[in-house]
Amino acid sequence: VHQSKLDFFCKLGYSKQDICKVLENLGQEALEDDVLKELIRMGSKPQALENQAQPSQLKLVARGSCSTTPGLKWLGEDESDASSSLRPIVIDGSNVAMSHGNKEVFSCWGIQLAVDWFRERGHTYIKVFVPLWRKEPPRQDSPIADQHILEELEKQSILVYTPSRKVKGKRVVCYDDRYIVKVAYEKDGVIVSNDHYRDLQNENPEWKWFIEQRLLMYSFVSNRFMPPDDPLGRHGPTLSNFLSKKPVLPEKKWQPCPYGKKCTYGNKCKFYHPERPHQAQLSVADELRAKTNVPLAAGKEEERCQCSP
């Protein structure tokens, strides 16, 4: 009997300690109603009601988030977010090196300048493709400058050699441009080159669109790697938006009036006047309509209030 009463009141949510105290006071043969009245008199509450009375410590978590404390972040999370928002970079090593060497010398220092420029911006995925035969000692018909830079970039897993071999004294070179476009297309990255890859555009229609939209051209100015601020033209995205996966739209700014204080257009002027802090951007006709509509609406509301009981 004791165990059945204990289980019954435990199911109601009361603690075992309070139930045992009441049963000791009233006896084991006490009725359930008497036990329940005594529990209420003692001030004992079911655990469900106690949990409702206590203020909840839970916080709202954004959908898809696993942590219950959104204010805390893992170590290095900001850095990973910043790097993940930037597009992968695939550099045409032969094109960059020959451009830095004025198309006469394969200048490896130009490749280093390009890699350093993207590193400073925060890009983590940078790949440079160079034919394997550039490892060979330089010759008169193909001079190479600063060849040790290629070895350093290869140790850093940045430089990738495309295959080449010799067959009966003749060099057989694989097409490195296809490697460059294919890797950039698969990684959804950016190609750094002054080459237009017209043969590959005709080969694959998907590559054609990708090359037109993701090709970043450049210039070298006094040993300085300089890509354009508008890679796709004046009306295209900025360089920072072009290199990021999440472009930031510029805020709309009012263009200052070229006439300044001598402007005679008044409120009809579509430009910004700093000497008019409370400048109305509406035309005179729109302002008159707005003024006439406001008192009419107010009068109708007054009539409704008077007519209502």
Side-chain angles (χ1 to χ4, degrees):
V1 175
H2 175 77
Q3 187 65 31
S4 63
K5 290 182 180 179
L6 189 64
D7 295 339
F8 175 75
F9 287 105
C10 283
K11 289 179 181 179
L12 294 178
Y14 293 98
S15 62
K16 290 184 178 181
Q17 295 179 356
D18 295 340
I19 297 168
C20 292
K21 287 181 181 178
V22 173
L23 291 175
E24 288 178 1
N25 295 334
L26 300 179
Q28 301 295 333
E29 298 179 355
L31 298 176
E32 293 179 353
D33 292 342
D34 298 335
V35 175
L36 185 59
K37 289 179 181 179
E38 186 67 20
L39 286 171
I40 295 171
R41 191 184 64 78
M42 288 176 58
S44 178
K45 294 182 180 180
Q47 294 180 358
L49 295 175
E50 290 180 359
N51 294 335
Q52 291 179 2
Q54 293 178 357
S56 60
Q57 300 295 328
L58 297 177
K59 295 182 180 179
L60 292 176
V61 181
R63 182 178 294 179
S65 177
C66 298
S67 62
T68 57
T69 55
L72 298 176
K73 292 187 177 180
W74 293 99
L75 184 63
E77 186 178 357
D78 294 337
E79 297 177 358
S80 63
D81 290 344
S83 62
S84 63
S85 64
L86 298 174
R87 293 192 182 278
I89 303 299
V90 181
I91 300 175
D92 188 347
S94 299
N95 186 273
V96 172
M98 293 302 294
S99 296
H100 187 257
N102 293 326
K103 298 182 179 180
E104 297 178 356
V105 181
F106 189 90
S107 176
C108 302
W109 180 242
I111 299 175
Q112 185 68 57
L113 292 174
V115 171
D116 293 341
W117 190 88
F118 287 105
R119 273 178 172 172
E120 290 176 359
R121 290 195 81 258
H123 293 267
T124 55
Y125 186 93
I126 304 173
K127 294 296 178 185
V128 181
F129 286 88
V130 172
L132 183 62
W133 63 271
R134 290 294 183 182
K135 266 188 170 183
E136 300 175 2
R139 299 179 302 178
Q140 291 183 355
D141 58 341
S142 60
I144 302 176
D146 301 317
Q147 197 171 10
H148 65 279
I149 294 177
L150 299 180
E151 298 178 1
E152 296 176 359
L153 293 175
E154 185 183 12
K155 292 178 181 178
Q156 299 171 13
S157 300
I158 294 176
L159 186 72
V160 179
Y161 287 107
T162 57
S164 66
R165 60 193 176 109
K166 283 188 177 182
V167 179
K168 296 181 180 180
K170 293 183 178 180
R171 184 184 291 117
V172 179
V173 181
C174 297
Y175 196 25
D176 57 341
D177 289 353
R178 186 172 282 106
Y179 276 92
I180 295 166
V181 175
K182 188 175 182 180
V183 172
Y185 178 77
E186 291 176 353
K187 292 289 184 180
D188 194 22
V190 173
I191 304 172
V192 181
S193 177
N194 286 336
D195 191 357
H196 296 285
Y197 305 103
R198 290 189 176 89
D199 53 342
L200 297 176
Q201 290 187 34
N202 298 328
E203 183 178 311
N204 191 334
E206 294 182 357
W207 286 4
K208 180 180 180 181
W209 178 90
F210 182 80
I211 293 169
E212 290 175 352
Q213 300 296 323
R214 296 290 175 80
L215 183 64
L216 179 63
M217 307 186 81
Y218 61 91
S219 298
F220 282 104
V221 182
S222 301
N223 287 330
R224 182 185 175 189
F225 179 79
M226 293 185 65
D229 293 332
D230 47 356
L232 299 181
R234 292 178 58 187
H235 303 289
T238 59
L239 181 60
S240 58
N241 286 342
F242 182 80
L243 295 175
S244 62
K245 297 178 182 178
K246 302 174 183 177
V248 179
L249 297 176
E251 296 181 358
K252 186 177 180 181
K253 296 181 180 179
W254 288 100
Q255 184 177 356
C257 182
Y259 296 103
K261 295 182 179 180
K262 297 180 181 179
C263 178
T264 58
Y265 287 93
N267 291 332
K268 291 184 178 180
C269 184
K270 297 180 180 179
F271 297 97
Y272 173 70
H273 286 268
E275 68 275 6
R276 305 176 190 172
H278 302 291
Q279 178 184 9
Q281 298 300 331
L282 298 175
S283 63
V284 177
D286 293 337
E287 283 186 2
L288 292 174
R289 290 193 194 97
K291 290 178 181 178
T292 53
N293 288 335
V294 169
L296 288 174
K300 290 180 180 179
E301 289 181 358
E302 290 179 359
E303 291 179 359
R304 290 177 183 174
C305 293
Q306 292 176 0
C307 295
S308 60

